[in-house]
Amino acid sequence: MGEKPTIAISHLGCEKNRIDTEHMLGLLVEAGYGVDTNEELADYVIVNTCSFIEAAREESVKTLVELAEANKKIVITGCMAQHFQEQLLEELPEAVALVGTGDYHKIVNVIKRVEQGERVQEVSAEPTYIADETTPRYRTTTEGVAYLRIAEGCDYSCAFCIIPHLRGKQRSRTIESIVAEAEQLASQGVQEIILISQITTNYGLDIYGKPKLAELLRALGKVDVRWIRMHYAYPTGLTPDVIKAVQETHNVLPYLDLPLQHSHPDILRSMNRPWQGRVNDGIIERIKLALPNAVLRTTFIVGFPGETPEHFQHLLEFVQRHEFDHVGVFKFSPEEGTPAYKLANPIPQEIMDERWHRLMALQEPIAAKKNQQEIGKVVDILIEQEHPESGKLIGRSGRFSPEVDGQVYVDGEAKLGTIVPVAIHNADTYDLYGHVVNSYPM
């Protein structure tokens, strides 16, 4: 038996996918494989793909084709492997293995079988696996921050979304398991833990018979970590109990990421989200009342089939009225295998583009105003990187989540991966500027 092969991982897609990448890396390292960041030098390249929307697939395919042209042995994992198994094997003879979203924990066995000359197809039709705190993991984020998956899969069937098909039904981890992993991360010096799943507010429903997010947050309040942030909190699940847990748990950031998708009841109905239409305005007012310092992020889809100028106007007024801190806007992407794929009255691309621009333009001054309000404050900043040229530090406040929100550019000295007080002296639409304060003002 000669040297074990070296393996590189090319990661595409969301932070759920990133955790899968980190577990594959951890398992391979534990099994004694050399893991190389340089794809050119590696014997195998694992491409962890995304299949959420057309643009993401194009990026995944481009990466696969480039590696194939460089004669790499490719292991395709992730959502595209789950979605298009047969086609991928046919069209990419360089692909030596295909691994589904519920099978990434078998990666060591897959590589062994490939080494013996087998072309491996390891794709469970219904993904049911979820890793826990005992599964090896090699973090790829900056040292101060880590993602923690509390559940996998989704039981909703929104008309535009392929996720339940790609990731299976919801399966939650126990509170004990999540707290154990949070403790491990805290002991490694992690300052910020970001809780993710498809629908964080439904956490625990499948194993406890009812959502247990409030209990989970309170349990995480006992872990020695400065910031706990939630992603994907559906507004309907932000019950008074959950809001109270956010209020009362010192390290839970009042950062609420509400994937609303639209404001008009007709569009929500055809998106198969009628449960949301009844609560939009009222629930946002209730959150703002209970958590006056809450940071609200949301995402909207423009150009959903049948979206009339009136529907879009409703959305513009909704965004104007509520003044969200952060808004992400996506153009509708018709996904084969979803009900929305066959809907009548598709919106022409140029109208979709125009609506995207109009909504972004409406949000810009709101985002700028929110940032202006930070000037003159001393804010806790997690320092994440040093700018290679200027030597300036770059970090985030509790108002900003990694990759999707803004950043804070900081003058002064601070250790990477620590949280330091920073006086904010300037702001633009998306970012803030400040300097390290060496002692808090009295």
Side-chain angles (χ1 to χ4, degrees), residues 229-242:
R229 184 190 303 276
M230 288 181 286
H231 274 197
Y232 315 112
Y234 274 62
T236 35
L238 291 170
T239 58
D241 197 24
V242 171

Side-chain angles (χ1 to χ4, degrees), residues 46 58 68 93 102 108 125 158 173 176 205-206 213 243 260 269 274 296 306 313 360 363 366 381 400-401 423 427:
I46 296 173
E58 283 168 8
V108 172
C158 299
R173 293 167 57 180
E176 294 74 20
L205 187 59
D206 51 314
L213 180 59
I243 287 176
L260 296 175
R269 202 168 297 118
L296 299 181
Q313 190 54 41
M360 291 295 281
Q363 175 60 22
I366 298 171
I381 303 293
F400 298 144
S401 199

Side-chain angles (χ1 to χ4, degrees), residues 353-383:
D353 293 347
E354 186 233 1
R355 286 179 185 174
W356 184 87
H357 282 292
R358 282 179 64 193
L359 188 50
M360 291 295 281
L362 175 79
Q363 175 60 22
E364 254 178 42
I366 298 171
K369 182 174 95 175
K370 296 275 182 183
N371 269 354
Q372 291 290 323
Q373 290 167 355
E374 297 296 291
I375 295 175
K377 294 183 187 170
V378 173
V379 181
D380 283 338
I381 303 293
L382 171 58
I383 303 294

Side-chain angles (χ1 to χ4, degrees), residues 19 86 88 135 137 143 170 172 175 178 183 185 199 243 279 288 311 346 349 356 376 382 404-405 418-419 436 440:
I19 290 181
E86 298 307 329
L88 287 169
T135 315
R137 179 175 174 191
E143 57 206 291
Q170 177 170 312
S172 304
I175 290 177
I178 294 164
E183 305 252 348
L185 292 167
I199 303 184
I243 287 176
V279 293
K288 285 183 168 172
H311 293 144
Q349 188 64 45
W356 184 87
L382 171 58
V404 290
D405 301 332
T418 62
I419 292 179
V436 177
Y440 281 103

Side-chain angles (χ1 to χ4, degrees), residues 14 19 40 46 88 171 207 227 247 267 281 288 293 303 312 324 331 341 380 388 397:
C14 66
I19 290 181
E40 285 174 27
I46 296 173
L88 287 169
R171 46 207 184 273
I207 53 172
W227 291 350
Q247 283 169 332
I267 295 292
D281 275 342
K288 285 183 168 172
N293 58 342
F312 180 63
F324 298 96
K331 298 170 198 174
Y341 186 68
D380 283 338
S397 72

Side-chain angles (χ1 to χ4, degrees), residues 186-227:
S187 71
Q188 295 161 14
V190 168
Q191 305 284 328
E192 174 183 22
I193 289 177
I194 302 178
L195 307 180
I196 59 170
S197 68
Q198 263 70 32
I199 303 184
T200 299
T201 29
N202 276 5
Y203 163 74
L205 187 59
D206 51 314
I207 53 172
Y208 297 118
K210 57 173 192 273
K212 288 275 190 179
L213 180 59
E215 291 83 344
L216 174 65
L217 293 176
R218 290 197 166 97
L220 288 169
K222 300 184 178 71
V223 177
D224 185 17
V225 66
R226 285 282 293 278
W227 291 350

Side-chain angles (χ1 to χ4, degrees), residues 84-96:
F84 296 106
Q85 6 187 345
E86 298 307 329
Q87 294 99 304
L88 287 169
L89 285 177
E90 270 166 45
E91 289 173 30
L92 284 168
E94 296 78 5
V96 293

